[in-house]
Amino acid sequence: MRNIATKTIFKETFTILLFRNSSVNKFSFLSNRDSLNLFFNSFFSQLRVKISLLALFFVNSLNAQTLTVDTYTTSTTWVVPACVTSITVRAWGGGGGGGGASATDRNGGGGGGAYCTRVETVTPGETLTITVGAGGVGVSANTGGAGGFSQVAHSVGPVVFCRAAGGAGGQRGANNTSAGAGGAGGAIASNIPAGTGFRGGNGGASDPNTALDQSGGGGGGAGSGSIGGDGAIITAGIAGSPGGGAGGVGIGTSISTGGNGSPGIVLGGGGGGSTVFSSGTRAGAAGARGQITITYSATGCEPAQSTFSYSPAGSYTWVVPACVNFVTVEAFGSGGGGGGNIGVVSGGQETCTGAGGGGGGGYAARTYAVVPGQSYTIVVGAGGTAGTAGANGGGGGVISTNAGNGGAGGNSTFSGPATVGPGTLTGIGGAGGLASQGRNTTGGTCLAVNGAGGAGSLGLNGSINYRGGNGAAGVILNFSTDRSAGAGGGAGPGGNGGDAPVANSAGVGVNPPGGIGNPPGGNGGNGRTYNTTGTFGGNGGNGIAIGGGGG
């Protein structure tokens, strides 16, 4: 049987966040009454998956604690809860049984169980072994059974760190002329730690007067603040206070058929002895069982960090810290790479095509119920590769190697036990921009094949999902203005990433802008514009972390 009493005091909630960039870890501690605020940080050098840990703990100005008391009346095991590093154990040993009669003997009462207490350092998740001492059994025509010890031990070793001794059984009188001695109470010398706690009361001896048929009373069980009282002829020992049980009373008769003593009272009272004056047998009374209580408080259980951000691209394992029951996860997909171009010039003319910009990465977020110790896999997607440049064939405006398309951005994912139902949380990477394939002929004719923009991608399996911005297509306006496209912006917790504007005017000497990212989603990279005859092209701008596409 297990009884649990819990008292919880809610006062103030704290969230701690860890901000990380590629060169330094920054820690910020934030305290907010009556709310948990999640904070997002955009100062990262790479794409990321961010995990916000919601870890609640409770404090107030009076230093009140949230205490739990677990009470055990039978032997079992106990697993140390998360965040618990210290426990207080209280143990009461079982009482001894009274002596049992046969024919004309009279018998002593059982001894009371001892008490001990211990404050012990423990490790969350470790298993402790709990042994609860049973009361001694009363038997006929024999010494009563001893009460069992109660103890708690670390399973590894094992190492006993708190034990309360049980009381001894009452003895049987040899005949009608001899008195049965009472059982000794549980001794502190037999406790662990030795010499600590309180002893149980000794059982009372039976009356040596052969004219009286009177057995001894049981000794009282020790309490958490005092020893158990000793039994006497007929009289039971008083209970140790608080928590101990009184002994059972003996039998007080003269010229009778005898009788059974009374059982001990929980916790740890010794049983009374029995008597028989003329014939037959009588069992001694049983001693009372012991008990274990474990008192603890989940203190100091707030994680050292409540926000973790992962970069650079790669695979990571994340284990749920102690005391964390819910996490909010954000997954940002990476941006697609921009398409490549080819500059084939013949007869003094420049190439006349523009490549497409990459799409922005998608965003997904969800809150999960988790269990401390669970393991999750995090994959951070790499940015899409830049499209390669084409190669000039060496004459007549011939292309020997076509330009390459931009690579798709990698997906960022979070998976593990909590994602089985809704599916793996995924920020999908943006599509790559397509390469331009075009040239001028020897006669100055522009044979243009402009590159299309890469599409922005969505978030998947989140309770919130947003799309990255689309990259723009390359635009050729005339022989003197080549314009490659800007890229899409990365999505963020506030909404979709912005699409790259379409370049649509001649003679503009600034780079076509990329789409605006939704913070902390990054902006798309700029495209390139050249409007001077004979000027060869240039590289597009890189996407901005997190999730911006490449120009």
Side-chain angles (χ1 to χ4, degrees), residues 99-547:
S102 174
T104 58
D105 51 44
R106 62 193 70 83
N107 307 280
Y115 166 86
C116 81
T117 186
R118 169 86 172 194
V119 177
E120 181 74 359
T121 299
V122 292
T123 302
E126 77 161 304
T127 299
L128 304 181
T129 301
I130 294 173
T131 302
V132 177
V137 178
V139 294
S140 297
N142 210 334
T143 297
F149 59 78
S150 294
Q151 69 179 28
V152 181
H154 296 282
S155 295
V156 177
V159 177
V160 176
F161 58 86
C162 184
R163 174 186 290 170
Q171 296 181 17
R172 174 190 176 194
N175 51 55
N176 67 338
T177 61
S178 63
I188 60 174
S190 299
N191 282 356
I192 296 176
T196 64
F198 297 98
R199 70 168 179 86
N202 297 320
S206 62
D207 194 330
N209 187 340
T210 58
L212 301 175
D213 195 15
Q214 300 179 134
S215 64
S224 60
S226 65
I227 63 174
D230 294 337
I233 298 172
I234 303 177
T235 306
I238 62 173
S241 180
V249 296
I251 292 297
T253 61
S254 61
I255 312 301
S256 71
T257 57
N260 301 105
S262 297
I265 309 299
V266 293
L267 301 170
S274 65
T275 67
V276 171
F277 180 77
S278 57
S279 64
T281 61
R282 295 277 185 179
R289 64 166 174 83
Q291 183 171 282
I292 295 287
T293 67
I294 299 178
T295 302
Y296 58 93
S297 176
T299 59
C301 66
E302 66 281 2
Q305 303 87 26
S306 62
T307 298
F308 300 88
S309 294
Y310 289 85
S311 65
S315 181
Y316 302 85
T317 298
W318 182 75
V319 178
V320 181
C323 304
V324 176
N325 302 114
F326 295 90
V327 296
T328 294
V329 184
E330 296 179 289
F332 296 79
S334 57
N341 210 327
I342 172 64
V344 177
V345 179
S346 178
Q349 301 296 320
E350 63 175 307
T351 188
C352 53
T353 56
Y363 169 88
R366 180 181 284 273
T367 296
Y368 301 93
V370 295
V371 176
Q374 285 180 335
S375 181
Y376 288 82
T377 298
I378 293 169
V379 176
V380 180
T385 56
T388 57
N392 189 336
V398 176
I399 299 173
S400 60
T401 303
N402 289 330
N405 296 327
N411 297 341
S412 293
T413 62
F414 176 80
S415 60
T419 68
V420 172
T424 296
L425 188 74
T426 305
I428 301 175
L434 299 185
S436 63
Q437 300 298 338
R439 60 189 177 86
N440 289 327
T441 67
T442 55
T445 301
C446 180
L447 304 176
V449 181
N450 295 309
S457 294
L458 294 170
L460 184 65
N461 296 326
S463 56
I464 299 174
N465 299 288
Y466 290 119
R467 176 186 63 82
N470 296 322
V475 175
I476 297 303
L477 300 175
N478 54 42
F479 291 150
S480 62
T481 303
D482 301 335
R483 179 171 290 185
S484 65
N496 298 326
D499 296 336
V502 176
N504 58 7
S505 59
V508 177
V510 297
N511 294 334
I516 302 302
N518 187 283
N523 294 342
N526 292 330
R528 296 298 292 265
T529 296
Y530 283 87
N531 60 355
T532 302
T533 299
T535 302
F536 296 95
N539 295 329
N542 292 328
I544 308 300
I546 304 164

